[in-house]
Each structure stands twice: as C-alpha cells, then as structure tokens.
Amino acid sequence: MWKSGWDALLADPAAPPLTGQSPSDNHLQHFKTAASLLETYSESGSLPEDYQELCRSDVTPCFIIAQRNGSTGVWVLVTGTACQSDADVNAAGSSLWDGQHHLHTGHMLCSEYIMTKLKLCYDGKGLVRLVGHSMGGGIVGALAQQIVRDKPGWKYFGVYFGPAASMDVSLAKQIQNRFVSTCHQEDPIPCLSDRAVMVIVLNAHRMAKDRVLKRLNDPIRAYCHLYPDQKADQLSKDTQLLADLEQGCSSLQQKIDQEPELVPPGVICQLRGGLSATSRPRLQFCGHQDVVPVQPTFSRGTWLQNRGHAHAMVVYADLLAKA
C-alpha cells in the first residue's frame, strides 16, 4: 500500500504506483507550489524574492535553476512553447534512446543541455524538483530519465502540467513513482501524440478524397455550372487531385504504422472539474489508458481553438489554487 506523505516518497524509491489514489496533502501542496512558481516564472521571467537564481536560459529551451533561501535541493523550471524555435523542438519526432526505448528527440536534446548546467548547480544534497509545462514538461521528463541513468544517487521528483506524449510506455513506467503528469480533462494537448496528430491529418485527407471522388463519379451534376471547356479542365484537375490524395493517404498510413505510441511521462494525475467559478477541482491518479483519447472526427484546428484555453499554465495554477 502506498504510504501517504512526502517522507515516504523520499525514503522508499520502490514504492508501489500511485495509480487509483488521490494525492496526499504533501503531494497537493507540492503541486500548488510548483504551479505557482512556474506561472510566476512564465509570466515575469523571475521568481519570488526568497528564491536564489543559480542558472537560466532565455532562449530555447527557456529554463531556470533556483534554490529557495535556507533550504537544500534545487528547482528546475522549464516553460512551454512560446516561439518558433520551441515549435521546432516539438516537431522533432521520436528516436531510440539507449538503443531500445523511444523518447521524443527534441525533448531529449534539450534535457541533455539542461543536465550539463544542473551538474554544475546541484551539490547532490536535497531534492531535485523538476517542473515543466507543455513542451517544458516533456523536457523535464527526459531529464528525469537522464538522472535515473547517469545520477542514480540523486533524489528527484517531477511535476508536469499539460503533458504531451513524449516517451514510450516502458520509459514512462520507469519513473512513475517520482514523476506526475498533471492534466485537466478539458486540455487537448495530453491527447496529441505525434501519431494521434497524423491520424487526424489522415482523416482530413480521406474526407477530401471522398469529396473529389464524389464529383468524379457524378460529373454531370458536379460540373453543370461550368462551360464545356472549363468542365474538361476541372475534370483533369480533380483526377490529378484524387491521385495526390490517395498517395498522401498511403504515405501517412505507412508513417502511422511505423510511429511508436508515446505517452506522458510518469503517472497521470487528472484534474476534473473546476473551470466554473462554483466548482472545485478533484484530483485523481490514473493510468495512461484513462487519459481522454483523441477524437479523430474533429479537425485539429477546431479542436484546439475550442479547448486550447484549458492548456494555459495560468489555468493549471488557478485550478490547483482552488483544489
């Protein structure tokens, strides 16, 4: 049985998974502190006065390593996507890590850079508190994997807000007792792995192909509004368009079949409710299979436009403050 309390986490690195339980008071307080610090850093580029900055980067990846005055251990805070170079990191796809596990390539490369700085700032005493939002959470997830591999004596705990899929299931489970991916049920990003995005694009291609095929199967009705010379020209264009769409669908399907299914790192903690002024959010640890799946009938643009507001770091900070 999982022993509630922060001391149990530090004392027993082999504690059973958190899945199916609610966060302890210590966990919840840590989530709130982490969300507040990251929101402050994301908005102002600084931290409260009782935190000492040890290292920072204001270009991709944007991060800060800090220590609270009078305490041991360090905080590593990494922000989410804010510029084109951040978007390039997100678009990097996955690759093999250590020759056997799949890890997001862009997150891995950024975490390697932060790890070089962390080794200079951290003296091995106290806890390494990893905190990230969106892309930044994927980076600290990869950083946790590096700590496990290269610095097994370090004690760490990670919190990831608005998690994106960044590693395969076997890697995610390796850190599930020391890393929590916190997502709100209205946040679309935790559902968008590279593979899931390709499925959405494939469905859009198939819908476009069906529309073109419908015109070609009934040219008299489809082209009745055109002059004779225009009909022949449009028929030729649609025939070529159909061939291009069929080739695109085939290519996308091959990529989908080859792309590994990635998941958010660690264990999932869902924030349920709380977006309205009168409701209070509830937190529950759950498995990766319980994260709301992609709805492939939605277009990606419409889906993100309607639900993307729930991905903002300020939303997570406000929800946790109410919890």
Side-chain angles (χ1 to χ4, degrees), residues 188 190-192 196 270 288-296 298 303 307:
C191 309
L192 288 180
Q270 277 198 325
H288 293 95
Q289 71 277 5
D290 297 319
V291 178
V292 180
V294 163
Q295 301 297 319
F298 293 165
W303 191 40
R307 300 175 64 190

Side-chain angles (χ1 to χ4, degrees), residues 4-220:
S4 63
W6 201 251
D7 292 339
L9 175 68
L10 300 183
D12 185 7
L18 302 171
T19 302
Q21 303 186 36
S22 297
S24 68
D25 290 341
N26 284 338
H27 281 110
L28 182 57
Q29 186 56 51
H30 185 74
F31 297 166
K32 290 183 176 185
T33 302
S36 176
L37 283 175
L38 187 55
E39 168 61 12
T40 299
Y41 170 54
S42 299
E43 292 296 319
S44 66
S46 60
L47 292 176
E49 293 183 355
D50 55 339
Y51 286 83
Q52 176 187 0
E53 178 183 314
L54 304 177
C55 178
R56 70 180 296 148
S57 171
D58 295 323
V59 296
T60 305
C62 294
F63 70 90
I64 188 169
I65 301 175
Q67 184 176 54
R68 188 169 188 176
N69 295 336
S71 66
T72 60
V74 294
W75 290 82
V76 182
L77 308 171
V78 188
T79 61
T81 304
C83 61
Q84 182 57 50
S85 58
D86 291 342
D88 293 340
V89 169
N90 291 329
S94 64
S95 60
L96 282 176
W97 188 67
D98 284 353
Q100 54 183 333
H101 298 295
H102 287 275
L103 184 64
H104 191 283
T105 305
H107 299 168
M108 176 176 60
L109 294 174
C110 290
S111 70
E112 289 174 350
Y113 173 69
I114 297 176
M115 186 64 168
T116 61
K117 303 298 183 182
L118 182 58
K119 289 177 179 177
L120 300 175
C121 298
Y122 177 56
D123 58 7
K125 300 177 181 178
L127 190 67
V128 179
R129 298 169 175 87
L130 307 171
V131 187
H133 170 245
S134 191
M135 178 195 76
I139 292 172
V140 294
L143 186 57
Q145 294 291 351
Q146 290 194 58
I147 291 174
V148 171
R149 182 189 65 182
D150 301 335
K151 295 291 184 180
W154 287 7
K155 293 181 178 179
Y156 74 91
F157 193 82
V159 185
Y160 184 176
F161 302 105
S166 59
M167 59 186 64
D168 62 33
V169 174
S170 59
L171 275 182
K173 287 183 176 180
Q174 286 183 11
I175 58 173
Q176 65 181 353
N177 295 320
R178 291 184 172 272
F179 201 99
V180 178
S181 289
T182 306
C183 60
H184 190 269
Q185 61 182 4
E186 295 296 326
D187 186 351
I189 299 301
C191 309
L192 288 180
S193 64
D194 289 345
R195 190 174 187 272
V197 171
M198 284 191 283
V199 170
I200 294 175
V201 174
L202 175 61
N203 287 336
H205 274 63
R206 286 173 173 168
M207 292 173 63
K209 186 183 75 171
D210 290 343
R211 288 194 296 268
V212 176
L213 193 59
K214 183 178 180 179
R215 292 199 299 267
L216 291 174
N217 287 336
D218 190 4
I220 295 177

Side-chain angles (χ1 to χ4, degrees), residues 184-188 275 306-313 315-316 319:
H184 190 269
Q185 61 182 4
E186 295 296 326
D187 186 351
L275 283 179
N306 291 343
R307 300 175 64 190
H309 69 281
H311 183 61
M313 186 59 221
V315 173
Y316 279 91
L319 286 172

